[in-house]
Every structure is written in C-alpha cells, then in structure tokens.
Amino acid sequence: DQQVKQNSPSLSVQEGRISILNCDYTNSMFDYFLWYKKYPAEGPTFLISISSIKDKNEDGRFTVFLNKSAKHLSLHIVPSQPGDSAVYFCAASEVSNDYKLSFGAGTTVTVRA
Amino acid sequence: GAGVSQTPSNKVTEKGKYVELRCDPISGHTALYWYRQSLGQGPEFLIYFQGTGAADDSGLPNDRFFAVRPEGSVSTLKIQRTERGDSAVYLCASSLIAGRTYNEQFFGPGTRLTVL
C-alpha cells in the first residue's frame, strides 16, 4: 500500500514562474521527509529535507513546507529554470527505521522557455 | 570522487534464468541499500546492509531474491528463476552511515532488468 502519494504525475511551468509540487502521506509515524530529483538515466539525487519538528525549510530556490495535521508537504521552486526539468520524488522515513525511505511515484516537471 | 556505480546498466534475460546485479558504493560508505523501481512507480525499499550484514531485508519480495555484501563494500543482488514481474530498474544507494543523523543516500544510475 502506497504510504506516500504524489497525485500529479506531471507539471508544466513557464521559466521564471513558481513550480509547486505536492505530496501526501498516510503513515503518522513518518517524521522525516525528503525530496529527490532525478534526470533520465541517472539515479535520484537528494534535493532538500524537513524534519517533523519544523514546518518550513528553505535552501536557495527550493522551499519545502510541511503540514503535519493534513499529512501534506509541498516543494516550491522559484524561479523555475530549464535545468529544473526532471522527475521529483517525495520520500519519507520513520524514526524506528530511519534508513528505509518510502517514495511517492514522482512528478515530472517540465520548465518551458 | 566516484559516485555509486552499478553494472550492468541493462540486463535482458529470459524467464526462469538467474541474474546477478552488482553495486559499487562510494568508498568509505558503510551503509548500502537496494531499491526497485517499477514502471510508473517510485523506488521501493528491498534491503539494507550495515557493513557486511543485512540489517533489514524486509523489502525482498520473496525467497528468489537474495543479496550479499561479503567484504562490506561491493554488493550483489541475486535473483533466481526470474519472472516477467521482476522487470524493473534496480537502484543501489550508499551512505556514510545509517541512522538518525539522516545521512544522505547517494544513488547509482540503476540496472534496468528486462525479463522476457
């Protein structure tokens, strides 16, 4: 059963505008959340993370927001750049086995020039 | 420095055959992970090694799947009597250590396995 869900398989955005990617989870034991970015023929690379004790974490153009009560997180990319075109995976882990990442199915982002 | 490497990059086999997939982690990384990514899905955890031992193999789908890491570095994922449903991209990742320090998992490019 999918415990991490990314309901939008794709997103198209104009260069310079904001990209907003959404992720929902069902497991209330998740306490750490990550976003990975994946280019074709490459493995996923870590982008940004957030602990459940926070509701926001920012790193340059990337900001992750966490709403624990709604079991929802989002990734904001602003401004979007052509190099941001990739598949983005949301992932989560529990404190009891924090090495085990549960991934969503991914959202393919296309940034249009 | 070199990242995680996986060989082969592509493997085509026939139903019922045996396959081995290899992972070379980043030098010095003690934790190693295998994930499987089926078409249209995200990576799914298979097994985690801390050093030479499999600390958690709860994600292996059945006893046809087995993984080893005899010297605490290179790991091999072994699949016996392959089935068409085993077709997927098998990803390997490594991290400096595992645990609450949330060591980043570095992923290899994966091995695409196709079972005909």
Side-chain angles (χ1 to χ4, degrees), chain B residues 28-44:
Chain B
H29 280 193
T30 63
L32 185 144
Y33 318 81
W34 283 97
Y35 291 82
R36 177 169 73 172
Q37 185 177 8
S38 300
L39 192 62
Q41 303 296 319
E44 177 187 19

Side-chain angles (χ1 to χ4, degrees), chain A residues 2 31-32 36 38 41-44 46 89 94-95 98-101 103-105, chain B residues 33 35 37 40-43 45 48 56 58 98-100 102 104-105 107-109:
Chain A
Q2 282 280 86
D31 73 332
Y32 193 69
Y36 276 79
K38 184 183 182 307
E42 295 183 10
F46 171 76
F89 291 102
E94 298 180 23
V95 61
D98 52 10
Y99 51 84
K100 184 187 293 188
L101 299 180
F103 284 85
Chain B
Y33 318 81
Y35 291 82
Q37 185 177 8
Q41 303 296 319
F45 172 83
Y48 150 59
D56 183 350
S58 62
R100 195 80 296 219
Y102 302 120
E104 178 186 343
Q105 294 185 22
F107 282 82

Side-chain angles (χ1 to χ4, degrees), chain B residues 5-28:
Chain B
S5 63
Q6 293 186 244
T7 54
S9 55
N10 280 284
K11 176 70 177 178
V12 180
T13 191
E14 294 179 343
K15 180 176 177 297
K17 299 289 189 183
Y18 168 81
V19 296
E20 290 189 351
L21 312 179
R22 176 187 168 108
C23 172
D24 281 87
I26 293 172
S27 178

Side-chain angles (χ1 to χ4, degrees), chain B residues 91-105:
Chain B
L91 293 164
C92 176
S94 70
S95 64
L96 192 58
I97 59 173
R100 195 80 296 219
T101 52
Y102 302 120
N103 266 258
E104 178 186 343
Q105 294 185 22

Side-chain angles (χ1 to χ4, degrees), chain A residues 76-90:
Chain A
H76 292 207
I77 307 172
V78 55
S80 299
Q81 299 175 353
D84 296 332
S85 296
V87 179
Y88 290 79
F89 291 102
C90 173

